[in-house]
């Protein structure tokens, strides 16, 4: 039985294409990964949605427990992750904590992804 072999094609430039657009720095990649990790949880996405839907874009932790069906400590843990990722701010009032979405935080994540993950940097 004869074997049909494909011809060998030499293309040395194929693996050495130049970088033609800005790339994400190591520090920016670390920060963006932390933010995306915080966003990658369904409960955290629901919490962000609930906060945004409240009057004035602000919600007390006490208003967030029942809708997500989790205990107060678990909800507080998720809100801490969102706060550390820079997506929400926390303000203590008496015994309760109120959370507000950081203006432009979600847009900044989308913009960062768009800048660094489009082929050729095209907008």
């Amino acid at each position: 039985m004869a074997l049909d072999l494909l011809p060998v094609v030499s293309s040395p430039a194929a693996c050495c294409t130049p970088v033609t657009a800005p790339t994400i720095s190591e520090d920016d990649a670390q920060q963006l990964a932390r933010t995306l990790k915080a966003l990658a949880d369904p409960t955290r996405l629901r919490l962000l949605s609930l906060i945004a839907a409240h009057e004035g874009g602000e919600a007390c932790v006490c208003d967030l427990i029942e809708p997500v069906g989790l205990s107060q400590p678990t909800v507080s843990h998720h809100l801490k992750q969102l706060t550390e990722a820079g997506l929400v701010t926390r303000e203590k009032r008496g015994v309760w904590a109120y959370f507000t979405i950081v203006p432009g935080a979600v847009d900044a994540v989308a913009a960062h992804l768009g800048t660094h993950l489009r082929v050729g940097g095209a907008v």
Side-chain angles (χ1 to χ4, degrees):
M1 176 159 138
L3 292 175
D4 290 330
L5 300 176
L6 296 174
V8 175
V9 177
S10 177
S11 180
C15 69
C16 301
T17 57
V19 174
T20 59
T23 62
I24 193 168
S25 71
E26 186 173 340
D27 289 341
D28 285 347
Q30 290 289 339
Q31 179 58 43
L32 185 58
R34 278 191 295 275
T35 302
L36 291 172
K37 185 176 178 181
L39 288 171
D41 185 281
T43 299
R44 292 181 197 142
L45 288 173
R46 290 208 51 227
L47 289 168
L48 285 172
S49 176
L50 287 162
I51 294 167
H54 272 78
E55 186 176 334
E58 175 184 79
C60 176
V61 69
C62 64
D63 296 324
L64 302 171
I65 296 165
E66 186 180 326
V68 294
L70 298 171
S71 68
Q72 185 273 324
T74 301
V75 170
S76 291
H77 166 76
H78 285 296
L79 290 166
K80 180 180 179 188
Q81 299 302 312
L82 291 170
T83 302
E84 289 176 353
L87 295 165
V88 298
T89 58
R90 177 183 183 270
E91 182 183 336
K92 186 88 166 158
R93 296 183 199 157
V95 296
W96 294 107
Y98 287 78
F99 293 86
T100 308
I101 293 180
V102 173
V106 174
D107 291 336
V109 171
H112 223 71
L113 289 172
T115 299
H116 297 291
L117 299 182
R118 285 198 175 97
V119 175
V123 177

